[in-house]
Amino acid sequence: MANVPDNLHYSKDHEWVRVENGVAVIGITDHAQEQLGDVVYVELPKPGESFSAHESFGSVESVKAVSEIFTPVSGEIAEVNESLADEPEKVNKDPYGDGWMIKVKMGTPGEVDSLLTAAEYEDFTKAEE
Amino acid sequence: MRYIPNSPDERAEMLQQIGVGSMENLFDSIPADLRLRRELNVPNALSELELLKKFDVTAARNPAANRISFLGAGAYSHYVPTIVDSLISRSEFFTAYTPYQPEISQGTLQAIFEFQTLVCQLTGMDMANASMYDGSTAMAEAVLMAERVTRRSKVIASSAIHPEYLEVAHTYVQHAGIELQHSTHSNETGTTLADSLAGLDDKTAAVVVQSPNFFGCIEDVQALADKAHAVGALLIVVVTEAMSFGLLKSPGACGADIVVAEGQSFGVPLSFGGPYVGLFATREKYARQIPGRLVGEAYDAMGRRGFVLTLATREQHIRREKATSNICTNEGLIALAATVYLETMGPRGIEAVAKQCAQKAHYAARKISTMDGFSLPFSAPFFNEFVVRAPSEAGALLARLASEKGIDGGIALSRYDRKPNEFLVCVTETNTREQIDELVSGIESLSH
Amino acid sequence: MITKVTTHISPNERLIFDRSQPGRMGFSLPPLDVDETPLDEIIPLDFQRDDKLAGMPEVTEVDVIRHFTRISTWNYSIDQGMYPLGSCTMKYNSRLNEKVARIAGFANLHPLASEAEAQGALEVIYELQQHLAEITGLTGISLQPAAGAHGEMTGIMIIRAFIDARDGKEKSAQRRTMLIPDSAHGTNPASAHLSGFTVKTIKSTAAGLTDLNHLRELCSHGDVAGLMLTNPNTLGLFEKNIREICAIVHDAGGLVYMDGANMNALVGVARPGDMGVDVIHLNLHKTFSTPHGGGGPGSGPCCCTKELEPFLPVPRIVRDDSSTANSKSQISNYRLDFNYPKSIGRVKAFYGNYGMMLRALAYILTHGRGGLREATEAAVLNARYIAHALVSDYDKPFDGSPMHEVVFTDKRQARKGAHTLDIAKRLIDYGFHPMTIYFPLIVSGAMLIEPTESVGRLELDQFIEAMRAIAQEAQENPELLLNAPHSTRIGRLDEATAARKPVLRWKPKENVAEPRAAASP
C-alpha cells in the first residue's frame, strides 16, 4: 500500500508539495515511484529557471520507462537536489524526504489550495487503478 | 518448399485439428475483394543449382570486381583475414536476434562491448554506441545530436566533406529546424581553414569536418576544435577511411566532441556499397543524448558479470517521438566483423597496414606528379588518398584506363560536380608496387 | 519434467583484453614493396598518432578463434530453434543466400565502379525492385534505406514532400499532424518526428482494430498529413476496414503509410497497394529472411504509388531497353538516375545495404511464385495453431482470428504473482527464446507470439507443451518463474544499477570482479 502523508499537497500528475517558508519542496509520490520501478536517472532543471503550474520541469527514468514530471505550482527554481545525480535510488527509498527533487520560490502561494489533499489523492489513485 | 518444415499432409492435419476448412480460410478476415485471385507475377522457384548459375552469370557482368583498383571515396579495398568471415559465419552470431534477452545473448553482448571499447580506443573518445547504419547516417545523426545538446540550430559543415555525406545530412535536417551551412575549403591546401569558417557564432551548434577529407587531405582538427569551442559549439569529426586511425592522431586527442566514422575498412567487403557500419563516439557527459544502442556491464544476483543493453530510455521503443533517434536495427553483424578484424590485427597490425597505405600512396603520388602535365593540386599532407590534376578530362582518361588497361585508376571528381580534370586516387596495402607502376605507365601511355 | 533441453558444460571466457599479451600478433602482411620515405616527411609529427594505440588487444589468431567460438556458444540463434518473437519474423536464414552474397563478382565490387562495369550489380537491384513492386502492388521503390526505421523515415519524408508540393509551403504548414495507433511500434512516432510532424494517437476498439469514429474525428480538423498503420496490426489482426480507413484519410487530404513489418501474413495473398495504401516500408530482415546478425544489418525498402515516385530518394536504378541494329536482341542497360528534382534527397551514401538485397532476391527466387504464398499460408497456420492450443491456459484478449502472430496476456498467471516477464524467463529453461513481451503497449502484460513458417509441428507442440507447463507452474509453484531462468550461465541482470552507473567500455587496469562460482545443483 503506497504511503500518502497527511501534511502534504498532491497533484494529479503524482507529485507532492511541502511548503516551507514560501518555498515549495516538490517530489514524486510513493505511488509514482512504485509504478516506475527502480529509478536510474532524474533529469532536473537549473536553479533560476521558471515554470508555470503543471509545466514539465524534467523527467524520471527507470530501466524500461520514462515519465515527465510536472511542477504543481508556478515559480522560480531556488534549489535542485544534486545528490540525485549519484543516488537516483533515493527517489524509491525516500520519495518524500531524501528523494525531493526541486524547491520552488512560489509566485502565487495560494496555488497550493487548488491541489489535492492526502485523502483526495488517495481516492484519485484508487480510481485510476 | 524445402524451407517449410511441415509437409503438405502435416499442414492439412493441422488445419483439421484447429477446425479451419482450408488454407484459403485462414485469410477469411481479409475482405474477399482484397485477396489476390491470381498467382504473383514472379518467376517460378529455382533450384539451388539454377539459382547459383543465375547469380554467377550476373556477377560475371561486373568486370570491375576483379580489376586492379585505386578507387576510394568512402569505400576502401583492404585485405580481410580469413578468420573474419569464418567467425561471423557461425550461426550463433549471424542467425541470432537483437540481444533483448541478455541471459541467452551474452555472445552478442560481449562482442558489442568489445566493439564499443575498440571504437573508443581508436577515436580517442569516452564512449561509443553499438553502431549506426554507416558513416553518412552517423554524421547526420551527429548533427541532430549537436542540436539537442547545445539547443542551437545552426551547423557549419566543411565543403571538403564527402558530397554524399553532405547530401544525407541535408536530407536528415530538412525538417528538423536546423540550418546546415557549408564552409569553403582552400583551393591551395585542400583543407578547411579555421579562419574561414564563415558564419561561426554563438548560434552555432557544431562545426563538422572530415579528416582525412574527401580530397584525402588531413585537416588541422585541433585548430578547428579551438575555433568551435571558443563560441560554445561542438566539433564533429567525420572519418571515411577508418584505417587512418592507425597512423593519425585521434580526433579525441584533437578536441573533437563527437566522432563518426565509416568502419568498412575494418574487415568488411566492398559489396557495392553495403552493408557497412557507422561508428559513433562521444564524450561521457553526452551519454544520454547519444543515439543508437548501448551495451553496458551488469551483474546478476550471484555476482556474475555479464552485459546488457542499457540506457534504453533514450531510444524509440520507450521515448517514442522524443527519442534521440528512430534507429532500431543497426549493423550488428558488420560491427562484429570489424571487431574480429581489429582484434586479429591488433595495434601493431593496424599501424602496419596504415603505414603501408601511406607509403604506397605517397609512392604513387610522387610518380604520377612527375609525369608531364600531371600535378597534385593540394598542398596539405594526405594519408592514402590524393587528388591528381590531369592535362585533359579525367573521366575520359579513366574510362580508357579501365577498358584498355584493365585498371580502375581513380574517381573523376566531375562525378561530384567538381573540376573535370581532377580525379581522386586511393592506394591501400592491397595495391602492389607492380600495380602502381602499371597505373603510372598506363596513365602515361594514354596521355602522350 | 523439461525434456527439450539439458544442461551442458559452457566455457567461460573473459574479455579479449584479458587474453592480450604484449608482442602477440595475429596478422600477416607482405613486406612493404615501395621505397620507404621517413614518416615525418609524409605526415607532420603533430598529426601522427602518439599513443601507440594503447589498450588495443594483442592476441594471436588462435586467441581470436577460441575467444569468439566460446562466446558464440552463449547465444541462442534461429539455427538452434524457434524464436516466437512477435513482430520480428524470425524465419530460417538460408545458407544458399549467404553463398550468393559472397560471390566475388558482388562482394568485391566498389560502389563507385563505373556503371558500364557494374551492370550485373545494377541488374540485381532492378530485378529485386520489380519483384517487390509486384508483391506490394506499389510501383515506386527505393532500396536505399538500411533498416525498417530508415525506410519509415524515408516514407514519411515522402509524404511531407508530397504535401508541400501539392499545397504549397504555407498551407502545408497547417498539416503537421501524423496519426499513429496506440498499438504502434516505437519507431513510428520517432520517424514522424524526424519529418517535422507531431503525433496524435488513434484509439483501438475493444476488438483491437482502428477506431473508425475516432479516426474520423481526428481527420476533421484539417491538420492531418497522414496516418501510419501496420496491417495486420501489432495484435496480429487484419484491419478489415483498411479500404475505408484509407478513404477517410484521403478525403481529409492526408496520405496513408503502412509499416510493412507484418508482411509475412500478406505475401502472395493480399497487397498493400490494392488496399489504398500510399507508401510502405518493407523489412528484408523479417519477411525476406535476411539474417538478424545480432542486431543488423537490415534493409528497409520504401515502396510507394506512382504519384509519390518523384519524391523517392536518389539515385534510382533504372533500365533502358534498346534494340540492336538487327532488332533481333534486346540490350538492357541499367543505370543510376539522379534526375529527380523533387526527390527528398539521399538517405544514405551509395545504394543501400546491397548484400541484403542479394539475399532477399535469392529468397524470392528460391521460393518462386508458389513458394512465396506457401510460406505465408504456413506462417499463418502455425500462429493459428498456437493460438488455438494456448487459449486454454492463457488469456487471449481479442476474439478475432490472428494472422501470423497472436497476443496473450498474463492476466491469469498474475493472480498468483507471476507476470509476463517471469513467464518469458521461464520459457528459456524450456529451451525457447522468449516471445515479444510488453508490446504492443495497449495490452497489459502483452506476450506477442509469431512462430513463422520455419517451425515444424514437433517444435510447435513442444512450445505449446512448455507454455502449458509454465502456466501450471504459475499456479502451483510461481517461485520457479520468479527466479527464472535457472539453467543459463547467467541469471537476471541488475539493469537498474547498470543504468545508474553505466560502464560502457573496458578500461586498462580495471578491477573486474572474479565471477563467483555459483552453487551447482
Side-chain angles (χ1 to χ4, degrees):
Chain A
M1 237 344 296
N3 183 23
V4 187
D6 272 330
N7 60 326
L8 304 175
H9 305 274
Y10 297 86
S11 75
K12 287 191 176 159
D13 297 312
H14 306 285
E15 284 89 15
W16 55 265
V17 180
R18 182 172 65 241
V19 183
E20 292 171 351
N21 303 325
V23 171
V25 186
I26 295 165
I28 65 170
T29 64
D30 191 31
H31 173 90
Q33 70 78 17
E34 251 178 17
Q35 296 282 304
L36 262 173
D38 291 319
V39 173
V40 306
Y41 183 73
V42 186
E43 195 187 337
L44 294 172
K46 294 197 180 63
E49 286 182 52
S50 290
F51 295 91
S52 23
H54 307 299
E55 205 186 330
S56 163
F57 69 86
S59 63
V60 192
E61 289 178 30
S62 65
V63 171
K64 299 266 192 256
V66 60
S67 274
E68 275 187 282
I69 24 183
F70 305 88
T71 167
V73 298
S74 58
E76 190 190 297
I77 307 282
E79 210 187 317
V80 153
N81 189 351
E82 309 268 2
S83 75
L84 292 182
D86 274 330
E87 294 175 86
E89 57 270 25
K90 282 182 177 175
V91 175
N92 297 113
K93 295 198 182 124
D94 192 10
Y96 301 110
D98 280 341
W100 68 272
M101 292 180 181
I102 54 172
K103 288 186 181 162
V104 173
K105 243 182 345 215
M106 289 194 287
T108 315
E111 270 175 338
V112 291
D113 297 328
S114 50
L115 297 175
L116 304 173
T117 62
E120 286 168 344
Y121 178 67
E122 224 170 329
D123 289 337
F124 173 68
T125 55
K126 283 209 188 86
E128 265 199 344
E129 258 144 46
Chain B
M1 205 284 139
R2 66 185 185 281
Y3 297 166
I4 301 175
N6 291 321
S7 71
D9 283 346
E10 283 176 292
R11 286 177 245 167
E13 264 179 56
M14 287 166 71
L15 276 173
Q16 226 189 26
Q17 193 172 329
I18 63 175
V20 172
S22 69
M23 285 297 186
E24 185 61 40
N25 288 133
L26 287 172
F27 301 101
D28 282 345
S29 56
I30 301 181
D33 60 342
L34 283 179
R35 275 180 260 153
L36 278 176
R37 292 280 158 230
R38 58 170 178 84
E39 278 191 312
L40 281 174
N41 187 11
V42 298
N44 283 317
L46 292 179
S47 66
E48 267 207 40
L49 212 99
E50 294 166 296
L51 189 97
L52 282 171
K53 203 170 200 173
K54 174 204 150 67
F55 277 104
D56 278 337
V57 164
T58 307
R61 286 208 289 281
N62 297 329
N66 41 18
R67 247 211 196 104
I68 297 172
S69 169
F70 294 91
L71 303 181
Y76 304 92
S77 183
H78 291 285
Y79 181 71
V80 181
T82 309
I83 65 172
V84 174
D85 195 45
S86 167
L87 286 168
I88 69 170
S89 296
R90 289 186 68 82
S91 64
E92 297 93 332
F93 283 131
F94 89 91
T95 75
Y97 182 58
T98 307
Y100 287 129
Q101 297 293 346
E103 298 90 340
I104 47 179
S105 316
Q106 286 299 302
T108 297
L109 287 162
Q110 179 165 324
I112 299 174
F113 188 79
E114 292 177 10
F115 172 78
Q116 287 171 186
T117 305
L118 292 163
V119 173
C120 288
Q121 290 168 335
L122 291 165
T123 58
M125 306 297 281
D126 304 330
M127 54 173 294
N129 72 16
S131 79
M132 311 295 289
Y133 307 135
D134 74 339
S136 72
T137 54
M139 181 179 117
E141 294 262 16
V143 167
L144 296 179
M145 177 174 157
E147 189 269 329
R148 280 196 300 276
V149 166
T150 61
R151 310 270 170 124
R152 298 178 184 181
S153 57
K154 181 163 58 166
V155 172
I156 300 176
S158 164
S159 52
I161 292 174
H162 194 303
E164 296 193 19
Y165 280 45
L166 287 172
E167 282 177 55
V168 172
H170 277 283
T171 304
Y172 268 70
V173 305
Q174 63 186 307
H175 305 304
I178 293 176
E179 195 200 327
L180 184 58
Q181 289 179 7
H182 292 198
S183 75
T184 54
H185 61 272
S186 155
N187 278 320
E188 201 203 297
T189 62
T191 56
T192 313
L193 298 180
D195 288 327
S196 68
L197 287 173
L200 181 64
D201 59 18
D202 62 7
K203 296 198 178 52
T204 308
V207 172
V208 191
V209 68
Q210 178 182 329
S211 184
N213 66 26
F214 179 66
F215 308 118
C217 303
I218 302 169
E219 300 274 11
D220 186 348
V221 176
Q222 184 71 67
L224 292 160
D226 293 339
K227 274 276 165 171
H229 294 155
V231 297
L234 303 183
L235 181 70
I236 298 171
V237 176
V238 182
V239 178
T240 57
E241 172 44 305
M243 202 57 76
S244 64
F245 286 128
L247 193 55
L248 302 182
K249 196 171 244 171
S250 74
C254 298
D257 299 290
I258 304 174
V259 181
V260 295
E262 174 50 66
Q264 179 267 325
S265 288
F266 294 147
V268 182
L270 287 167
S271 194
F272 205 52
Y276 289 170
V277 59
L279 314 182
F280 196 112
T282 188
R283 302 275 170 221
E284 204 170 318
K285 58 181 168 175
Y286 302 129
R288 287 193 141 77
Q289 292 304 329
I290 196 175
R293 295 203 176 115
L294 290 169
V295 170
E297 211 177 64
Y299 291 83
D300 72 1
M302 312 261 274
R304 291 177 290 203
R305 194 274 306 274
F307 301 97
V308 71
L309 290 175
T310 191
L311 297 188
T313 45
R314 296 161 303 118
E315 297 183 69
Q316 43 77 26
H317 56 295
I318 293 177
R319 221 178 265 257
R320 299 171 74 92
E321 63 265 27
K322 299 208 169 91
T324 53
S325 166
N326 73 340
I327 194 169
C328 184
T329 296
N330 42 83
E331 298 290 319
L333 197 71
I334 311 302
L336 180 66
T339 306
V340 176
Y341 177 85
L342 288 168
E343 295 180 10
T344 303
M345 302 304 284
R348 305 288 81 80
I350 301 297
E351 263 170 25
V353 171
K355 282 188 176 143
Q356 284 209 8
C357 289
Q359 293 288 352
K360 292 184 191 230
H362 285 79
Y363 171 77
R366 270 197 305 275
K367 294 200 88 179
I368 292 175
S369 60
T370 55
M371 284 193 291
D372 253 346
F374 286 83
S375 63
L376 307 183
F378 297 130
S379 62
F382 62 91
F383 171 60
N384 71 341
E385 289 187 274
F386 55 92
V387 176
V388 175
R389 185 174 287 154
S392 60
E393 215 216 321
L397 171 63
L398 292 170
R400 288 185 65 199
L401 201 54
S403 58
E404 293 174 42
K405 308 286 176 185
I407 301 176
D408 275 324
I411 293 164
L413 292 191
S414 54
R415 187 190 180 120
Y416 293 108
D417 289 333
R418 302 205 190 222
K419 306 202 170 90
N421 282 19
E422 293 180 354
F423 62 102
L424 182 70
V425 178
C426 174
V427 187
T428 73
E429 82 283 10
T430 62
N431 297 112
T432 62
R433 185 200 185 110
E434 284 75 35
Q435 290 180 354
I436 299 171
D437 290 344
E438 260 188 74
L439 169 71
V440 174
S441 59
I443 293 176
E444 176 113 51
S445 72
L446 291 176
S447 317
H448 304 110
Chain C
M1 182 68 218
I2 304 174
T3 56
K4 192 176 186 298
V5 292
T6 300
T7 53
H8 184 62
I9 53 169
S10 168
N12 285 333
E13 178 71 16
R14 300 176 69 172
L15 291 167
I16 191 70
F17 310 99
D18 295 313
R19 277 189 182 261
S20 177
Q21 290 295 326
R24 286 197 188 179
M25 44 146 278
F27 71 97
S28 75
L29 201 58
L32 185 64
D33 57 0
V34 300
D35 318 319
E36 192 167 349
T37 315
L39 202 56
D40 298 352
E41 284 173 35
I42 301 181
I43 301 194
L45 200 57
D46 272 348
F47 289 159
Q48 284 181 42
R49 188 138 205 149
D50 59 0
D51 64 359
K52 302 210 133 296
L53 290 166
M56 274 188 76
E58 293 178 79
V59 293
T60 65
E61 181 163 327
V62 177
D63 285 317
V64 177
I65 291 275
R66 290 247 161 93
H67 180 72
F68 286 101
T69 301
R70 288 179 170 201
I71 70 176
S72 77
T73 63
W74 304 341
N75 273 0
Y76 190 91
S77 60
I78 291 180
D79 275 9
Q80 187 176 317
M82 170 175 141
Y83 273 86
L85 280 169
S87 216
C88 298
T89 312
M90 301 295 287
K91 62 172 75 180
Y92 171 58
N93 305 138
S94 124
R95 277 329 94 97
L96 177 60
N97 298 356
E98 294 306 302
K99 188 164 181 174
V100 168
R102 285 164 170 81
I103 293 174
F106 297 120
N108 298 341
L109 186 62
H110 193 284
L112 299 176
S114 77
E115 284 162 41
E117 318 255 271
Q119 284 292 298
L122 295 172
E123 181 186 310
V124 165
I125 299 179
Y126 188 83
E127 204 185 324
L128 180 60
Q129 287 174 174
Q130 298 294 95
H131 297 324
L132 294 179
E134 168 65 1
I135 287 168
T136 59
L138 293 163
T139 54
I141 317 263
S142 171
L143 299 180
Q144 206 181 68
H150 207 198
E152 262 179 44
M153 181 193 88
T154 304
I156 300 303
M157 283 193 175
I158 287 176
I159 290 180
R160 171 74 191 255
F162 173 83
I163 293 180
D164 283 349
R166 181 192 70 188
D167 297 351
K169 286 267 151 72
E170 259 184 65
K171 284 182 75 186
S172 160
Q174 314 294 334
R175 278 186 189 280
R176 286 285 185 263
T177 300
M178 189 60 63
L179 301 179
I180 299 183
D182 48 13
S183 54
H185 191 280
T187 54
N188 290 181
S191 301
H193 179 71
L194 271 168
S195 303
F197 291 115
T198 48
V199 169
K200 272 195 196 155
T201 310
I202 311 174
K203 294 196 283 268
S204 304
T205 64
L209 300 178
T210 299
D211 184 333
L212 292 181
N213 288 329
H214 193 213
L215 176 63
R216 279 191 201 97
E217 196 277 305
L218 288 169
C219 283
S220 63
H221 306 291
D223 65 343
V224 167
L227 162 70
M228 294 174 82
L229 58 59
T230 312
N231 194 15
N233 64 24
T234 57
L235 303 167
L237 303 170
F238 187 83
E239 291 273 5
K240 58 179 165 50
N241 297 316
I242 182 71
R243 275 248 176 81
E244 195 176 349
I245 290 171
C246 291
I248 294 170
V249 176
H250 289 153
D251 286 344
L255 279 79
V256 178
Y257 175 88
M258 186 176 119
D259 180 327
N262 288 338
M263 277 297 291
N264 212 40
L266 298 180
V267 175
V269 172
R271 309 192 312 172
D274 299 335
M275 298 173 195
V277 170
D278 298 294
V279 54
I280 89 172
H281 85 270
L282 297 170
N283 298 72
L284 296 188
H285 48 295
K286 296 186 181 186
T287 320
F288 297 92
S289 89
T290 74
H292 273 79
S299 176
C302 186
C303 316
C304 66
T305 57
K306 207 163 181 58
E307 225 187 350
L308 295 179
E309 275 183 44
F311 306 99
L312 283 167
V314 282
R316 311 260 308 266
I317 285 77
V318 299
R319 183 174 79 183
D320 301 323
D321 293 319
S322 54
S323 310
T324 60
N326 300 346
S327 289
K328 284 253 173 83
S329 53
Q330 277 268 67
I331 302 174
S332 289
N333 180 48
Y334 299 94
R335 62 184 174 82
L336 303 170
D337 195 343
F338 292 85
N339 190 15
Y340 292 91
K342 296 195 188 143
S343 163
I344 60 168
R346 242 181 209 292
V347 297
K348 186 180 174 307
F350 312 128
Y351 320 113
N353 277 353
Y354 187 76
M356 317 329 279
M357 299 177 208
L358 282 166
R359 292 170 170 89
L361 181 57
Y363 171 89
I364 291 171
L365 297 176
T366 298
H367 282 70
R369 62 181 63 178
L372 287 174
R373 174 152 180 144
E374 210 187 323
T376 305
E377 290 171 351
V380 175
L381 173 59
N382 280 354
R384 207 63 76 78
Y385 185 81
I386 288 179
H388 182 260
L390 290 183
V391 280
S392 48
D393 294 273
Y394 290 90
D395 171 59
K396 183 165 164 284
F398 300 101
D399 291 327
S401 295
M403 300 294 290
H404 66 309
E405 62 188 4
V406 57
V407 70
F408 289 94
T409 82
D410 60 355
K411 204 152 138 194
R412 291 189 217 168
Q413 290 68 32
R415 290 181 206 138
K416 287 289 183 88
H419 292 93
T420 291
L421 180 67
D422 309 307
I423 296 167
K425 297 298 187 190
R426 184 59 177 154
L427 199 53
I428 293 174
D429 290 327
Y430 280 82
F432 291 95
H433 189 282
M435 67 292 273
T436 298
I437 54 176
Y438 301 111
F439 177 80
L441 299 171
I442 55 168
V443 175
S444 162
M447 289 180 279
L448 188 62
I449 299 170
E450 178 188 355
T452 81
E453 69 273 21
S454 302
V455 190
R457 193 173 181 182
L458 175 62
E459 200 164 11
L460 285 175
D461 287 340
Q462 284 176 332
F463 176 75
I464 291 163
E465 219 177 279
M467 289 294 285
R468 286 193 175 143
I470 293 170
Q472 189 165 9
E473 288 171 354
Q475 297 301 319
E476 297 168 4
N477 192 3
E479 277 300 304
L480 274 175
L481 279 69
L482 297 176
N483 298 322
H486 305 277
S487 55
T488 46
R489 47 179 294 115
I490 202 160
R492 295 197 205 183
L493 293 163
D494 180 359
E495 299 190 31
T497 306
R500 283 186 191 136
K501 308 252 183 275
V503 174
L504 304 169
R505 55 160 295 179
W506 171 88
K507 285 193 171 124
K509 296 200 194 86
E510 189 156 55
N511 235 343
V512 174
E514 271 297 326
R516 294 200 318 258
S520 348

